[in-house]
Amino acid sequence: MTQRRSMFLLSSVVFGFAFLYVPILSLIIFSFNESKLVTVWAGFSTKWYGELIRNEQILEAAWISIRIAFVNACFAVALGTLAGFSLARFGRFRGRTLFTGMVTAPLVMPEVITGLSLLLLFVAMQDLIGWPEGRGVTTITIAHITFSMAYVAVIVQSRLTSVDESVEEAALDLGAPPAKVFFVITLPIIAPALISGWLLSFTMSLDDLVIASFVSGPGSSTLPMVVFSKVRLGVSPEINALATIIVLVVATGVIAAGIVMRNQELRRARDEHMAAAENL
Amino acid sequence: MAEARSGVQTLEPWNDPDAKPYIRIQNVSKKFGDFVAVNNVSLDIYQNELFCLLGGSGCGKSTLLRMLAGFENLTNGNIFIDGVDMVGIPPYDRPANMMFQSYALFPHMTVEGNIAFGLKQDRVPKTEINKRVKEMLDLVQLGPFAKRRPHQLSGGQRQRVALARALVKQPKVLLLDEPLGALDKKLREETQFELVNIQEGSGVTFIVVTHDQEEAMTLSTRIGVMDKGEIVQVGTPTEIYEYPDSRFVADFIGSVNMFEGRIIEDEADHVRIASDEAGCNLFIDHGLSTTPGAKVWVAVRPEKISLSREKPNGEENCTTGRVDEIAYLGNLSVYRVELESGKQMRVTMPNLVRDAAERITWDERVYATWQPSSGVVLTR
Ligand SMILES: Nc1ncnc2c1ncn2[C@@H]1O[C@H](COP(=O)(O)OP(=O)(O)OP(=O)(O)O)[C@@H](O)[C@H]1O
Ligand SMILES: [Mg+2]
C-alpha cells in the first residue's frame, strides 16, 4: 500500500519536473549543435556562441535592456518603498482601500492595456509639453517603473506588516524625528525586502516584451524584442545559445540569493537556540 | 510584601493639598471606534513617585501609557507633564521615555547600539555615551553581551536591554510597560530592588504597568487599580490591601472571603450585618452611613481569620464548618473550610507547631473567628 503510494508520488514528481525542465534542457543541448537546423543533431560545437558574440544587434539590445532594467529597478524600489510604507503604516486613512487597489492594479492589468495606455499618455504628453521627445529608452524605462513599483510596494508592505510597529515607536520615543526613524530604523530592517524587490524589478524589466513593444521607438529595441523578431524569421541556434546564457545567469542569481538567505536563516536559528540554552 | 519600601517614605505629596502634581491626567478617554479602551480617567502623579497601574489583561493599561508617551491621540481630556499641556507634542519632544511591553529592540543593532541610540539623538558627546552605556550594562548585568544582536539573547536578557535603553536617558518620566514580566524570580526581585533604588536616587517619576499584584505592592508608592478602562481605586499598597473600596479591588488584590449580607444596625461606633452566607452576624467596629436593610458585602482576608477546634466565646464574627482542603506551604498552611451555608472559606494560618499530629486536619469540624476590625464593608 505505502509502496504503491510512494511510487505514485515519485512518478508525479518526475513528471512535474520533466514538464518544467525538458524544454529548457533541449534548448541547452541544441545550443551546442553543429548544424544550422535546430532539430537535427550534427555533433557538438560552440560555434553559435562565437556567432552570438559577433552579433552587434543582439549585443546592443542586451546592453539597452540591462541599462533599462537597472534604472527601472532603482526607481521602482524608491517609489515602491514609499507606497508600501504608507500602505502599511498610515493606519486607516480615508480611501485606503482604493489606494491599495490602485497600487496593486498593474499586477493584474493585461499588459496590452498597460502598454497601450502608456503609449497614448506619452503621445499626449509630447503634444502638450514636448516631453518625452519621441519614444525610446526613456519611455520604456518609465513604463517599466510603473508596473515594477507595484510589485515592490506589495513586497515592502507585506514585510512591514510583520515588523513590530513599536520598534519604530521606540525610536520616536528616544528622540528621533519620523524621517530619521524611517532611514535609520525602518529601512535597515526591511533591507532584504528591498533587495528582493530590486532583483524582481530588474528581471521583470529584462523579461518584458509586450509593454516595451508599445512604447519603444527607433533604435531602442530591447533584447526580448530582438529575440522575438528573429524567432519570427525562424529559430536559429544562435538564439538557443543566447537563451542558454540567460538561463545560466538567472539560475546563478536565484541559487546565490537562495544560499545567502538560507545561511542567514540557519545562523539566526542557531543564535536563538544558543541564547535560549544559556538562559541567563 | 512591600519589603523594598521598608525605608518608609514619610513624604506623601498626595495628602498635601499644596503639592503640585507632576503628571496630571484629566478626564482622559480613548475610544477605538466604538470600543472604549480608557474611560474618563483622572490621576495626579507627583514627582519622584513610583506609581503602579494594576489591572487585568485588556483593561487599558498600555493604552493609558501610550497616551502619556504620545503614541495615541486622546479622544477626550488633557494630559499635563510638569505643567505643560501635552496635546500636539510628538513623542520625540516629550520628556518621557517608555519601555515597551514587546521590548521593541532594534533588531539590526547590537545591545550597545540599542542602549546608545537615545543618547545619540541628543548629541551627547561620544565619551559620555560610552560611559553611560557601560554603567547601564553593568546595572542590568549584560556587560558580556554588549556586542550581541537582540535575536542572540534570551527573553529575560532582551527585557533588560529594553529597560536599560529607557533608563539611560534619565528622562523626567519613565513609563514601563510590564518591565519585569519575563524575568525569573531571583532576577526579578533584584531588578525590583534596583528599580526602586534608581527611582529614589534619580528624582525620576516612574509609572509602571503590571498585572502582578505582588510586584505592585513591592514597588510602588501608590497603586491605581484599573478595570475595564476605568480607575477604580488609587491608594498606597497598604490602603489598597487593607481598605479596598469595592468588591473588584478586594478580590483583585490578594485573596479574600466575601460574605453577602444585610445591615441590621448602623450606629456611630459599630455596624451589625446579618449574613446567611457567613452563618453568623457580622460585627464591624466602626460606623457607616447607610440605610438599614441595605445589601452589603463584608470582605475578610484569609490571614485575619483563625481556626480552632473549641467553640470560642461570642456569637458574632464566628462561624463553623468542615475542613475541606489543606495546602501546606511550609511557613503557613492554607485551609479551605466549607461553611454550613455551602460557601467555601479560605483561611491561612502560620504553622506555629512542628508536630503534624497537633494541627487541624481534613474533615475536622472547626470554628473560624476574626476581630471586629478585620472585616471591610463594601457597598459596591
Ligand atoms: N489600536 C487598537 N485598536 C482597537 N482596539 C485596541 C487597540 N489597542 C488596544 N485596543 C483594545 O483596547 C483594550 C485595552 O488594551 P491595552 O493594550 O491597553 O490592554 P492592557 O491593559 O495593556 O492589557 P495587557 O495586560 O494584556 O497588556 C483591549 O481590549 C484592546 O483590544
Ligand atoms: Mg499591555
Side-chain angles (χ1 to χ4, degrees):
Chain A
M1 184 69 196
T2 50
Q3 205 173 9
R4 251 186 32 221
R5 217 182 106 163
S6 68
M7 275 303 289
F8 173 72
L9 285 177
L10 189 68
S11 43
S12 335
V13 167
V14 168
F15 180 76
F17 273 94
F19 194 77
L20 283 174
Y21 289 105
V22 165
I24 296 178
L25 206 65
S26 70
L27 182 138
I28 293 176
I29 290 170
F30 276 106
S31 77
F32 293 105
N33 193 359
E34 169 78 47
S35 162
K36 183 146 181 69
L37 293 168
V38 181
T39 44
V40 181
W41 183 256
F44 181 84
S45 153
T46 54
K47 77 173 190 198
W48 298 114
Y49 287 87
E51 294 273 312
L52 187 66
I53 290 173
R54 282 187 294 277
N55 188 328
E56 288 284 331
Q57 195 196 4
I58 286 183
L59 287 185
E60 197 191 331
W63 178 232
I64 289 177
S65 272
I66 288 172
R67 262 162 47 210
I68 292 176
F70 184 85
V71 175
N72 158 65
C74 296
F75 273 92
V77 165
L79 298 175
T81 304
L82 293 181
F85 183 73
S86 41
L87 284 179
R89 285 291 183 262
F90 278 178
R92 301 165 51 145
F93 56 89
R94 269 176 80 90
R96 185 195 154 134
T97 327
L98 186 68
F99 187 54
T100 315
M102 278 167 61
V103 165
T104 51
L107 305 185
V108 290
M109 193 81 79
E111 285 183 314
V112 179
I113 295 179
T114 313
L116 184 61
S117 59
L118 281 164
L119 175 63
L120 293 178
L121 175 73
F122 290 142
V123 171
M125 277 172 68
Q126 193 182 2
D127 285 349
L128 282 175
I129 58 171
W131 186 90
E133 266 181 76
R135 279 158 298 288
V137 172
T138 316
T139 47
I140 299 177
T141 312
I142 295 174
H144 283 183
I145 291 170
T146 55
F147 70 84
S148 300
M149 75 165 266
Y151 282 91
V152 177
V154 170
I155 293 174
V156 166
Q157 186 197 2
S158 74
R159 174 77 187 110
L160 272 176
T161 41
S162 70
V163 173
D164 185 2
E165 202 173 337
S166 57
V167 173
E168 291 155 67
E169 288 175 344
L172 278 179
D173 187 65
L174 292 167
K180 183 157 191 198
V181 173
F182 180 75
F183 286 109
V184 180
I185 305 294
T186 314
L187 275 191
I189 292 177
I190 62 170
L194 299 190
I195 292 170
S196 65
W198 195 94
L199 288 172
L200 189 67
S201 306
F202 189 84
T203 32
M204 280 192 315
S205 169
L206 274 187
D207 280 353
D208 172 65
L209 170 66
V210 179
I211 295 175
S213 307
F214 273 100
V215 296
S216 73
S220 63
S221 295
T222 62
L223 192 58
M225 285 162 71
V226 170
V227 171
F228 190 67
S229 64
K230 277 186 164 305
V231 167
R232 280 205 306 205
L233 304 174
V235 183
S236 81
E238 218 175 339
I239 298 296
N240 283 351
L242 178 64
T244 304
I245 291 174
I246 293 176
V247 166
L248 207 73
V249 169
V250 170
T252 317
V254 169
I255 291 170
I259 289 175
V260 168
M261 261 155 70
R262 207 186 59 139
N263 281 354
Q264 211 172 1
E265 222 23 63
L266 283 179
R267 195 167 60 230
R268 203 186 165 82
R270 201 180 55 225
D271 285 345
E272 269 172 10
H273 200 79
M274 269 167 56
E278 279 170 20
N279 200 20
L280 219 147
Chain B
M1 285 185 197
E3 282 163 74
R5 287 257 160 224
S6 56
V8 180
Q9 288 213 329
T10 42
L11 237 63
E12 294 187 343
W14 49 90
N15 288 334
D16 175 1
D18 293 334
K20 241 185 77 198
Y22 195 66
I23 300 171
R24 168 155 259 182
I25 302 173
Q26 277 180 332
N27 307 101
V28 165
S29 298
K30 176 72 194 177
K31 284 187 191 159
F32 294 110
D34 286 338
F35 179 78
V36 185
V38 172
N39 189 6
N40 199 19
V41 166
S42 295
L43 266 179
D44 282 344
I45 297 170
Y46 296 85
Q47 193 151 26
N48 215 2
E49 264 207 87
L50 200 161
F51 192 94
C52 269
L53 282 171
L54 183 61
S57 189
C59 69
K61 308 181 295 288
S62 297
T63 307
L64 187 56
L65 222 55
R66 288 172 56 80
M67 288 193 285
L68 283 165
F71 297 123
E72 307 279 0
N73 293 323
L74 314 189
T75 309
N76 242 322
N78 289 304
I79 291 177
F80 297 91
I81 298 180
D82 201 9
V84 180
D85 190 347
M86 285 292 132
V87 169
I89 298 189
Y92 48 93
D93 284 335
R94 293 198 182 196
N97 280 150
M98 173 146 171
M99 175 189 163
F100 288 78
Q101 193 167 12
S102 58
Y103 317 150
L105 301 179
F106 308 132
H108 58 298
M109 294 185 192
T110 60
V111 168
E112 249 173 8
N114 267 278
I115 299 175
F117 185 85
L119 296 174
K120 281 187 190 151
Q121 305 315 308
D122 291 354
R123 304 220 158 69
V124 177
K126 202 151 178 81
T127 47
E128 167 86 7
I129 292 185
N130 290 342
K131 190 176 127 261
R132 276 164 71 177
V133 168
K134 195 175 168 310
E135 281 169 10
M136 269 295 130
L137 284 171
D138 289 343
L139 179 69
V140 294
Q141 302 173 19
L142 283 176
F145 303 94
K147 298 281 184 242
R148 290 209 190 172
R149 297 281 177 85
H151 70 266
Q152 296 167 311
L153 301 174
S154 69
Q157 291 166 340
R158 285 181 209 176
Q159 196 164 39
R160 281 181 282 156
V161 178
L163 186 60
R165 189 178 66 178
L167 282 173
V168 75
K169 284 190 81 173
Q170 298 170 356
K172 291 186 195 166
V173 179
L174 251 179
L175 309 167
L176 308 178
D177 200 346
E178 309 263 357
L180 311 175
L183 304 186
D184 61 44
K185 192 167 163 22
K186 189 162 161 288
L187 198 61
R188 196 184 172 99
E189 277 169 6
E190 274 174 30
T191 318
Q192 281 177 358
F193 234 48
E194 213 47 70
L195 268 186
V196 172
N197 276 345
I198 294 168
Q199 182 264 337
E200 281 174 349
S202 62
V204 175
T205 307
F206 279 54
I207 302 182
V208 181
V209 160
T210 175
H211 56 232
D212 177 344
Q213 42 130 330
E214 200 165 323
E215 185 169 294
M217 302 290 261
T218 313
L219 289 175
S220 47
T221 51
R222 285 188 305 156
I223 297 174
V225 184
M226 286 188 77
D227 180 32
K228 300 196 194 86
E230 294 180 37
I231 294 269
V232 285
Q233 190 176 359
V234 178
T236 61
T238 322
E239 282 166 3
I240 297 275
Y241 188 78
E242 301 291 353
Y243 305 99
D245 65 4
S246 66
R247 281 183 293 155
F248 176 82
V249 174
D251 210 28
F252 190 75
I253 313 286
S255 51
V256 77
N257 298 296
M258 198 82 69
F259 302 112
E260 195 181 314
R262 236 164 244 295
I263 299 210
I264 47 178
E265 208 180 309
D266 188 356
E267 301 290 328
D269 63 341
H270 72 269
V271 196
R272 207 167 254 119
I273 294 160
S275 170
D276 292 337
E277 233 173 29
C280 63
N281 279 353
L282 307 172
F283 182 83
I284 312 286
D285 66 353
H286 61 81
L288 294 166
S289 35
T290 52
T291 45
K295 181 166 154 184
V296 293
W297 293 266
V298 175
V300 189
R301 297 279 181 200
E303 73 276 6
K304 300 201 164 54
I305 303 176
S306 62
L307 297 179
S308 61
R309 293 192 177 94
E310 293 82 35
K311 185 170 168 41
N313 297 328
E315 293 291 321
E316 285 164 330
N317 294 348
C318 171
T319 183
T320 176
R322 186 182 58 84
V323 177
D324 191 39
E325 196 76 70
I326 304 173
Y328 175 75
L329 303 179
N331 56 344
L332 40 83
S333 291
V334 182
Y335 298 83
R336 200 171 75 199
V337 179
E338 187 170 312
L339 302 183
E340 275 161 0
S341 67
K343 190 174 171 63
Q344 308 271 2
M345 185 164 84
R346 203 181 145 94
V347 182
T348 50
M349 296 240 290
N351 289 319
L352 299 176
V353 290
R354 198 176 210 172
D355 187 359
E358 287 180 31
R359 285 202 292 266
I360 292 169
T361 66
W362 280 271
D363 283 334
E364 268 194 86
R365 185 175 183 75
V366 289
Y367 293 91
T369 54
W370 57 92
Q371 298 300 313
S373 60
S374 298
V376 180
V377 183
L378 304 170
T379 52
R380 60 179 174 126

